[in-house]
Amino acid sequence: MAIKPNDCVIKIKDLEVGFEVIKDWDGRNKQVPVYEPYWSKFLQHVKDTTNWQSGWDAYDRNFENQLNKFNATYKQTKKWDDRYIKFKTHADLTFFVLKWS
């Protein structure tokens, strides 16, 4: 499904503000993105509230449930850099940003 001009979307790529180098699980340096503070806080909330014993897709289900509270859906595209979050209205987007800022 294509993005229409009047759709209220945030591309995940646009939330990146930089990169940092961390140590991987085996000690090698790995470059990971640093996101806008409100998006980082939201992702941390999802991680903290996930019931990891509920199945292999527990994080994904919790991520979708948390976004649904803000009338938003996550859209996975064929290209990794084109992923986005779609909100029903601009008011929902504003509320999301204010909630997690």
Side-chain angles (χ1 to χ4, degrees):
M1 179 179 264
I3 299 174
K4 299 177 198 85
N6 59 349
D7 283 345
C8 184
V9 299
I10 297 179
K11 289 196 172 202
I12 303 296
K13 188 74 172 167
D14 293 340
L15 294 172
E16 293 178 2
V17 293
F19 292 92
E20 70 176 335
V21 176
I22 63 169
K23 296 287 184 186
D24 202 353
W25 63 273
D26 61 351
R28 290 185 280 179
N29 289 337
K30 178 181 177 182
Q31 189 176 12
V32 296
V34 175
Y35 294 106
E36 291 282 349
Y38 69 89
W39 186 246
S40 296
K41 289 177 185 177
F42 174 74
L43 293 177
Q44 186 63 44
H45 172 74
V46 171
K47 185 177 172 184
D48 292 343
T49 59
T50 298
N51 178 7
W52 296 100
Q53 297 175 347
S54 65
W56 61 271
D57 62 343
Y59 182 87
D60 294 336
R61 285 186 283 122
N62 189 32
F63 182 73
E64 289 290 336
N65 289 338
Q66 295 295 328
L67 282 176
N68 285 338
K69 293 178 182 179
F70 298 96
N71 296 321
T73 55
Y74 173 74
K75 301 291 185 175
Q76 179 70 39
T77 59
K78 291 179 182 177
K79 290 177 63 180
W80 179 254
D81 288 343
D82 291 339
R83 302 169 297 146
Y84 62 93
I85 305 294
K86 182 176 179 180
F87 292 86
K88 286 188 179 179
T89 66
H90 289 280
D92 293 328
L93 169 60
T94 302
F95 180 65
F96 179 83
V97 171
L98 291 175
K99 165 80 173 153
W100 297 108
S101 291

